[in-house]
């Protein structure tokens, strides 16, 4: 398939964009060959025409499908190009918050500028032992891969961390070292891994500083070798440093800081041990205040000082050496404050007793005069003599700063040397892993010598990267004769030759430094003459003669020549060094002794940096002046030598690359700047890595190594004498795709992921073998354990069963005695309680009746008088209003009529005048005058009619005035009565004020309760928030534990499955055995029961005594009958509300309330008829049972006939019950179909009341069912307890006793004794039967009366629903009073002979009625609107529940409770009045 065929309609592509670098677009039509323009549509909906390059005709790169976006490894993408890589990194970083991504063998790490919880010990344990592709990309995965390859291949490893300043190189290197320290542990008790980690805070304090790009930027490069023994445990470490930025000691740009250690010292100046250093605020010293930013947000320098001192102690730098270091650093701060005064243009002096210089000399232990002299002078040596020459102020300041830089560099070297000594191990090192934390490619607006050295180092590292990834790969394939297409790649060897070769840039720079009058301009001209137009990588700027351009692998960089020579020389005056060497301060003199034998090959470095190396440079033969010549060695030469040593080390190890990317220049968390990211990706060669790694064979093994490693996967017959052929045969079986591997001359080459696949197969085979061994050993151990446990269990069971039998017998004796005691104790308590309640009720009755009567009389009197006052007052007001209105109407009529009359008079006068005039002037106007005369006559007639009407109104007015006068006289009489009423009103107002005070008190109590509730709510919310936080933490821990459990579960599944199969088989066999035993026991039990019945019949025949036991058939019959009846009734009541709810409201036709109530009455009548039928049926059943018992006493029982009779009777009862059910359902359906939606709607009060009644009936039926079940269980238990006593259930014992009685006399005596006992039992049973029957009849009568009362209440409720809300309460109270009076009179006549029974009945009745009536009043309140439906539903009681079960006061507001209790009190008062009456 051609590439152009992919560019069809709706295909997505990437196009260049100046702001976002690449933008996504969609093709609007298919692309055809020869098209110069492509129609595109951007994601924001804008259409665009994209013009192709006419020369290359290169199409825009295609976009990957969405399913591939966010891949862990960039090499897994279908289309590998710059926009795909950039988009994948952006999606993972912004959307998924993932900072790590694989790019073949390179790990790309993006700095999040935020602390992430992904570096804990649990994460380290998760990555330990895992393959690189099994887990998500992480720095721990790279560290684990290096550690694993070191152990497997027995070859040294290196982790190269590179990137720009602020990209996170130092943090990545730190986490890699932490991983090695945690996973490997130490081989000795010295905890070397802790020392390795402790070196980080020391090196950060003296080598890191705040820059505009990074708050903790490493201003030097370091290479740490972590040594391991043969068991791959840490035994030591060694550190090499590169390019310390010395210029930062004396100068900082804006918003930057000096090294952290200076600010830590100033923050800890108040400590007593630092008082001798005479430190102060950082803004006081010249070397720490230039940047203007002495504080970093979120960092406490004093606390960091404590960590630094702890790390020094851990690494063996004792307190005296620590104070020596701090003393030198404090002296440098004071040296920066030394000031100079100019004498003239070429000389300067220091003021006498200058305080900063005095403090510096005291701390350093040198003479004040010598140091002040050599700070302002220098020595010039010629062939014959030497001269002392004064220097200018500017030269003195530069000399002071150079001395400070030199001292700091020496101190830095000394600290690194001591750290290496502390990390050094006496045990022989077997292998090591090196971690290189080095600066990345740099390009600024002004680039000088420092950037030149940094970019030179990156060129060397990039060459090493190319050699490893590209060149060595291809050479290896060609060497092994593997078919491989050569891929072109960028080789930066020409750029390196331009810098370091003979007559290169560094060579010409060193040559210019040796010239007496060398300058930056002359050096620039030499560069132009040597390389311009001869080397394609070297260019000259158009507008400058003091700069040059080098084409690096990442980008073109323009360097300014100014300052190159001075920084390369790094001049320090020898006389100042001699003064310091003669110091009394022992540690300072140690820094400057044996410079030739120092561990670092460099004693002076560029003004930007200091170089350190592990190997020492051997000095030449000793001769005078060697020290000064060594000191004058150029920085470029030193740096080139150290880089060569570093490259040799890296080439001798297996490298692992970590490329750190800086997402933005503003340190914003999780913000991605595409331009900055693309610059860094192009600089680090990520795209070339993707292309080569995806096409190559990254893994390779020799034939012998492969055979020894994977011998486990071969069978004995597969092993041949030729190792190469054996490996080929194995790979052909395991890996079917031959493109995944290649066979070379001496090695086997694998594509990515194949070695991991082989390792998985090998691990699976070893795991299966281990499981087989474990299976056999565990089986033998468990069998042994099972036999031992079985024997112990049998002995324990024997003793436990005996103990339980003894305890059970003891328990039976105790329970019988306890029941007797409880019977008498409860009788005494109840009798005492009854007497106390009787006395209290009599007292309460007397007080309540008097209070109620007085209140009732006063209320009636007030109401009567108020009505009289209202009557007279309303009449008087009506008369006054009528008189006033009549008077006003008459006055208005008179005024209006007078005004109209005057108008008419004026009109008539005017008309009269006009007529006489017109008669004279015009004789023809007579007709008009006649018309006017007619009009006057008509008006005269109208006037007469109006007068008649006025006279009639006057007569009516007179009659009404007389009536009103009589009403006024009546009102005068009523005024006197009103005066008396006002006095009573005042009394009532006083009572109202009292009640208001009580209301205010209750409101204040309510406020206090609400405040307490708010406080409690706040406390609970705080507790909830804390619990939620703990819950989140526990969830995280749970997820981590689940991951571990899943890993372990995978290993255990196979073993557990096999065990489960075996155990299930064994359990099935045991279960079948148990089933057989159980069936045998059942058969034996049934056989014994039959045997027992036969023996019982034989004994009855022998003894000829009738059996006095319980009638089993009757009890079972009655219990089954009750179960069937109650269950059917319950199902009816439960199905009713469901049917009512299920029927749609659209089918309901509107109907009157009267029709609904009539239907309800009909339902109640049908229920009464049903109940009466049920009662008659019960009575007939009792008569049948009695006759049956008599027949059984007269003749032997016939079991089969009785069962048939019972089944027939049960069927008849069920059929009747079903008929009644059907009738009830039909009535309910008719009600629902005809009822109006206003009355029978689910929210209506009547609907709610009916539903509550139905639920109460269902609850009562459930209670009845439970009582029946309890009675059945008691009867069965009593029967089982009586049968052994009467019949001696154990047949074997009975036969043995009969056989022992051989004598006839003994048999006769036993017969007489049994006869007497049977007579006694019969008499007891007959007396119990009579009492039981009497109680049943009494209870049935009470139930019938309660049901009738319930029906009356329902009728009353139906009537009250038709009444208005005010009349409902009065009607219900009136009905209650009449009902209670009738009931009391009836029971007074009934219990006339026994007053105690009457009193007990009254107390029980009062209790029950109080609860029932209170609930009934609540229903009335709900119907009238005083209560909500939910409150009424909660207060409505079922007939069978007690008040304590269904009435809770705490759920209602105080006002509602007051109203309910007022109704209860009215009922009580009426009840007590009737009783007294």
């Amino acid at each position: 398939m051609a590439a152009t065929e992919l560019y069809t309609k709706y295909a997505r592509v990437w196009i260049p964009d100046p702001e976002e670098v690449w933008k996504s677009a969609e093709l609007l039509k298919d692309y055809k060959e020869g098209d110069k323009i492509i129609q595109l549509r951007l994601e924001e909906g804008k259409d665009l025409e994209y013009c192709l390059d006419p020369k290359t005709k290169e199409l825009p790169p295609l976009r990957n499908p969405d399913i591939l976006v966010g891949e862990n490894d960039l090499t897994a993408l279908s289309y590998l190009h710059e926009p795909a890589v950039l988009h994948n990194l952006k999606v993972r970083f912004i959307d998924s918050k993932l900072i790590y991504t694989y790019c073949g063998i390179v790990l790309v790490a993006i700095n999040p500028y935020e602390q992430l919880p992904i570096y804990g010990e649990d994460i380290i344990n998760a990555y330990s032992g895992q393959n690189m592709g099994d887990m998500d990309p992480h720095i721990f995965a790279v560290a684990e891969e290096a550690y694993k390859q070191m152990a497997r291949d027995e070859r040294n490893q290196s982790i190269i961390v590179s990137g720009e300043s602020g990209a996170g190189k130092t943090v990545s290197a730190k986490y890699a070292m932490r991983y090695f320290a945690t996973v490997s542990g130490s081989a000795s008790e010295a905890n070397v891994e802790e020392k390795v980690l402790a070196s980080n805070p020391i090196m950060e304090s003296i080598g890191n500083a705040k820059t505009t790009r990074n708050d903790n930027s490493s201003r030097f490069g370091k290479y740490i070798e972590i040594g391991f023994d043969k068991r791959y445990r840490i035994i030591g470490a060694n550190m090499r440093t590169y390019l310390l930025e010395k210029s930062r000691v004396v100068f900082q740009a804006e918003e930057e800081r000096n090294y952290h250690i200076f600010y830590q010292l100033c923050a800890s100046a108040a400590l007593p041990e630092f008082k001798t250093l005479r430190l102060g605020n950082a803004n006081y010293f010249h070397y720490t205040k230039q940047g203007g930013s002495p504080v970093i947000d979120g960092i406490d320098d004093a606390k960091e000082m404590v960590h630094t001192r702890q790390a020094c102690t851990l690494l063996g730098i004792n307190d005296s050496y620590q104070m020596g270091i701090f003393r030198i650093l404090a002296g440098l701060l004071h040296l920066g404050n030394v000031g100079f005064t100019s004498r003239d243009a070429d000389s300067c002096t220091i003021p006498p007793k200058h305080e900063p210089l005095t403090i510096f000399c005291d701390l350093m232990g040198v003479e004040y005069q010598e140091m002040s002299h050599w700070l302002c002078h220098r020595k010039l040596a010629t062939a014959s003599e030497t001269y002392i020459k004064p220097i200018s102020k500017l030269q003195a300041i530069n000399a002071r700063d150079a001395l400070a830089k030199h001292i700091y560099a020496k101190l830095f070297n000394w600290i690194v040397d001591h750290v290496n000594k502390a990390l050094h191990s006496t045990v022989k090192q077997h292998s090591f892993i090196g971690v290189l934390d080095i600066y990345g490619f740099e390009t600024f607006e002004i680039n000088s010598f420092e950037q030149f050295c940094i970019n030179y180092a990156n060129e060397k590292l990039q060459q090493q990267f190319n050699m490893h990834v590209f060149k060595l790969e291809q050479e290896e394939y060609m060497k092994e004769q593997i078919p491989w297409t050569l891929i072109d790649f960028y080789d930066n060897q020409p750029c390196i030759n331009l810098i370091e070769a003979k007559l290169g840039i560094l060579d010409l720079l060193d040559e210019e430094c040796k010239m007496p009058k060398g300058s930056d301009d002359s050096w620039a001209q030499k560069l132009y003459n040597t390389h311009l137009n001869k080397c394609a990588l070297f260019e000259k700027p158009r507008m400058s003669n003091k700069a040059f351009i080098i084409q690096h692998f990442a980008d073109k960089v323009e360097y300014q020549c100014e300052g190159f020579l001075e920084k390369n020389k790094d001049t320090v005056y020898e006389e100042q060094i001699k003064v310091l060497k003669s110091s009394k301060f022992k540690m300072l003199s140690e820094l400057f002794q044996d410079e030739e034998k120092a561990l670092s090959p460099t004693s002076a470095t560029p003004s930007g940096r200091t170089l350190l190396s592990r190997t020492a440079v051997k000095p030449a033969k000793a001769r005078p002046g060697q020290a000064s010549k060594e000191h004058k060695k150029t920085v470029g030469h030193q740096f080139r030598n150290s880089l060569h040593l570093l490259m040799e080390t890296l080439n001798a190890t297996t490298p692992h690359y970590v490329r750190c990317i800086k997402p933005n220049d503003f340190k914003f968390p999780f913000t991605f700047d595409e331009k900055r990211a693309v610059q860094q990706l192009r600089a680090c060669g990520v795209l070339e890595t993707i292309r080569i790694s995806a096409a190559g064979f990254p893994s390779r093994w020799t034939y012998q190594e492969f055979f020894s490693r994977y011998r486990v996967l071969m069978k004995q017959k597969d092993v041949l004498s030729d190792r190469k052929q054996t490996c080929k045969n194995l790979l052909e079986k395991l890996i079917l795709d031959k493109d995944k591997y290649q066979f070379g001359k001496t090695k086997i080459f694998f594509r990515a992921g194949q070695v991991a696949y082989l390792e998985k197969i090998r691990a699976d085979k070893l795991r299966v073998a281990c499981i087989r061994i474990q299976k056999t050993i565990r089986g033998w151990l468990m069998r042994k354990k099972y036999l031992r446990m079985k024997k112990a269990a049998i002995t324990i069971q024997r003793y436990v069963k005996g103990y339980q039998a003894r305890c059970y017998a003891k328990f039976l004796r105790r329970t019988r005695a306890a029941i007797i005691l409880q019977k008498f104790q409860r009788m005494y308590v109840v009798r005492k309680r009854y007497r106390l309640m009787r006395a209290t009720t009599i007292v309460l009755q007397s007080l309540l009746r008097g209070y109620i009567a007085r209140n009732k009389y006063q209320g009636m009197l007030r109401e009567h008088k108020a009505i009289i006052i209202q009557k007279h007052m309303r009449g008087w007001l009506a008369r006054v209003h009528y008189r006033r209105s009549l008077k006003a109407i008459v006055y208005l009529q008179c005024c209006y009529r007078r005004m109209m009359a005057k108008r008419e008079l004026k009109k008539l006068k005017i008309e009269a005048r006009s007529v006489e005039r017109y008669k004279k002037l015009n004789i023809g106007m007579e007709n008009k005058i006649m018309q006017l005369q007619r009009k006057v006559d008509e008006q005269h007639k109208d006037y007469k009619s109006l007068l008649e009407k006025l006279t009639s109104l006057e007569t009516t007015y007179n009659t009404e005035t007389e009536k009103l006068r009589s009403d006024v006289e009546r009102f005068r009489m009523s005024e006197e009565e009103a005066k008396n009423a006002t006095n009573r009103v005042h009394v009532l107002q006083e009572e109202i004020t009292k009640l208001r005070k009580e209301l205010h008190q209750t409101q204040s109590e309510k406020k206090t309760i609400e405040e307490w509730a708010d406080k409690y709510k706040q406390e609970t919310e705080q507790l909830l928030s804390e619990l939620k936080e703990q819950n989140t933490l526990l969830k995280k821990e749970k997820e981590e534990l689940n991951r571990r459990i899943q890993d372990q579960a995978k290993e255990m599944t196979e073993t557990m499955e096999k065990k489960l199969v075996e155990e299930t088989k064994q359990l099935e066999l045991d279960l079948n055995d148990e089933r057989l035993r159980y069936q045998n026991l059942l058969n034996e039990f049934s056989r014994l029961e039959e045997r027992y019945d036969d023996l019982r019949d034989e004994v009855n025949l022998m003894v000829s005594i009738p059996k006095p036991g319980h009638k089993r058939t009757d009890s079972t019959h009655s219990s089954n009958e009750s179960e069937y009846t109650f269950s059917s009734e319950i199902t009816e009541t439960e199905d009713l509300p469901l049917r009512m709810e299920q029927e749609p409201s659209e089918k309901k036709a509107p109907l009157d309330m009267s029709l609904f109530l009539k239907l309800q009455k009909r339902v109640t009548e049908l229920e009464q008829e049903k109940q009466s039928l049920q009662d008659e049926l019960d009575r007939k059943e009792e008569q049948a049972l009695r006759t049956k018992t008599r027949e059984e006493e007269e003749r032997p029982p016939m079991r089969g006939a009785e069962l048939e009779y019972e089944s027939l009777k049960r069927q008849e009862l069920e059929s009747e019950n079903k008929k009644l059910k059907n009738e009830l359902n039909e009535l309910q359906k008719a009600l629902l179909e005809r009822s109006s939606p206003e009355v029978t709607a689910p929210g209506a009060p009547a609907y709610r009341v009916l539903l509550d009644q139905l639920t109460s009936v269902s609850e009562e039926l459930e209670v009845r069912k439970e009582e029946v079940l309890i009675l059945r269980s008691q009867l069965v238990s009593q029967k089982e307890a009586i049968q052994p006593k009467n019949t001696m259930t154990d047949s074997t014992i009975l036969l043995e006793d009969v056989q022992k009685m051989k004598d006839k006399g003994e048999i006769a005596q036993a017969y007489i004794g049994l006869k007497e006992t049977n007579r006694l039992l019969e008499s007891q049973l007959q007396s119990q039967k009579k009492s039981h029957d009497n109680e049943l009849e009494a209870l049935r009568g009470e139930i019938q009366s309660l049901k009738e009362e319930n029906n009356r209440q329902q009728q009353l409720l139906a009537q009250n629903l038709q009444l208005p809300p005010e009349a409902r309460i009065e009607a219900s109270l009136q009905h209650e009073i009449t009902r209670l009076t009738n009931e009391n009179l009836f029971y007074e006549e009934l219990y006339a002979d026994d007053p105690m029974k009457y009193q007990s009945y009254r107390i029980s009745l009062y209790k029950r009625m109080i609860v029932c009536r209170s609930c009934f009043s609540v229903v009335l309140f709900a119907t009238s609107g005083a209560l909500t439906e939910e409150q009424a539903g909660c207060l409505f009681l079922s007939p069978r529940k007690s008040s304590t079960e269904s009435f809770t006061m705490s759920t209602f507001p105080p006002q509602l409770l007051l109203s309910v209790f007022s109704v209860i009190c009215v009922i009580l008062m009426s009840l007590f009045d009737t009783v007294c009456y």
Side-chain angles (χ1 to χ4, degrees), residues 47 103-104 136 184 229 319 331 339 532 538 549 619 636 731 808 831 1176 1218 1308 1359 1367 1451:
D47 293 340
C103 178
D136 290 337
S184 62
D229 60 4
D319 293 338
L532 191 61
F538 184 87
I549 298 172
L731 279 174
Y808 184 66
R831 188 187 296 118
E1176 289 177 2
K1218 286 179 181 177
Q1359 292 174 4
T1451 57

Side-chain angles (χ1 to χ4, degrees), residues 1110-1174:
H1110 286 285
K1111 307 301 185 291
R1112 186 172 178 83
T1113 56
D1114 297 338
S1115 64
T1116 55
H1117 169 67
S1118 63
S1119 63
N1120 290 329
E1121 181 184 350
S1122 62
E1123 282 181 23
Y1124 281 113
T1125 55
F1126 281 118
S1127 64
S1128 64
E1129 289 175 1
I1130 289 166
T1131 52
E1132 285 177 17
T1133 55
E1134 287 176 353
D1135 291 337
L1136 178 60
L1138 291 172
R1139 292 171 187 167
M1140 292 170 72
E1141 290 177 2
Q1142 286 173 359
E1143 291 182 1
S1145 59
E1146 295 177 358
K1147 296 180 180 179
K1148 294 179 182 177
L1151 193 63
D1152 279 352
M1153 189 69 191
S1154 60
L1155 179 60
F1156 173 76
L1157 294 171
K1158 288 177 183 178
L1159 291 170
Q1160 189 178 7
K1161 287 179 182 179
R1162 179 60 181 163
V1163 170
T1164 53
E1165 289 173 1
L1166 289 170
E1167 288 180 343
Q1168 289 176 1
E1169 291 176 3
K1170 177 185 173 184
Q1171 189 63 37
S1172 61
L1173 289 170
Q1174 187 69 31

Side-chain angles (χ1 to χ4, degrees), residues 1377-1388:
I1377 291 165
T1378 55
R1379 188 191 65 76
L1380 289 171
T1381 51
N1382 294 328
E1383 190 174 0
N1384 275 319
L1385 290 170
F1386 170 76
Y1387 281 106
E1388 190 174 3

Side-chain angles (χ1 to χ4, degrees), residues 26-128:
E26 190 179 75
L27 286 171
L28 296 178
K29 65 177 184 178
D30 297 344
Y31 169 76
K32 298 177 182 178
E33 290 188 5
D35 291 348
K36 296 180 180 179
I37 296 173
I38 300 176
Q39 299 292 332
L40 300 175
R41 177 172 290 167
L42 300 176
E43 286 185 343
E44 54 266 23
K46 182 180 177 182
D47 293 340
L48 180 70
E49 290 185 353
Y50 181 76
C51 298
L52 299 177
D53 190 356
K55 294 181 180 179
T56 59
K57 293 185 179 180
E58 187 177 351
L59 293 169
L62 288 166
R63 183 172 173 176
N64 285 299
D66 292 335
I67 196 170
L68 293 177
V69 175
E71 283 287 334
N72 289 342
D73 196 343
L74 297 176
T75 58
L77 299 174
S78 298
Y79 305 114
L80 294 173
H81 40 63
E82 184 180 291
V85 171
L86 184 66
H87 181 66
N88 196 67
L89 289 174
K90 183 179 179 180
V91 168
R92 285 177 62 82
F93 184 67
I94 299 297
D95 298 342
S96 304
K97 306 295 182 187
L98 298 173
I99 64 172
Y100 293 112
T101 306
Y102 290 132
C103 178
I105 63 172
V106 179
L107 176 70
V108 180
I110 304 176
N111 192 350
Y113 289 113
E114 189 177 278
Q115 291 292 331
L116 298 179
I118 59 173
Y119 301 105
E121 288 192 6
D122 51 348
I123 305 295
I124 292 174
N125 295 329
Y127 276 90
S128 179

Side-chain angles (χ1 to χ4, degrees), residues 895-906:
C895 291
Y896 179 75
R897 287 168 183 169
R898 184 173 63 241
M899 183 181 69
M900 295 302 294
K902 285 179 181 180
R903 288 179 182 176
E904 289 291 327
L905 181 63
K906 285 180 182 180

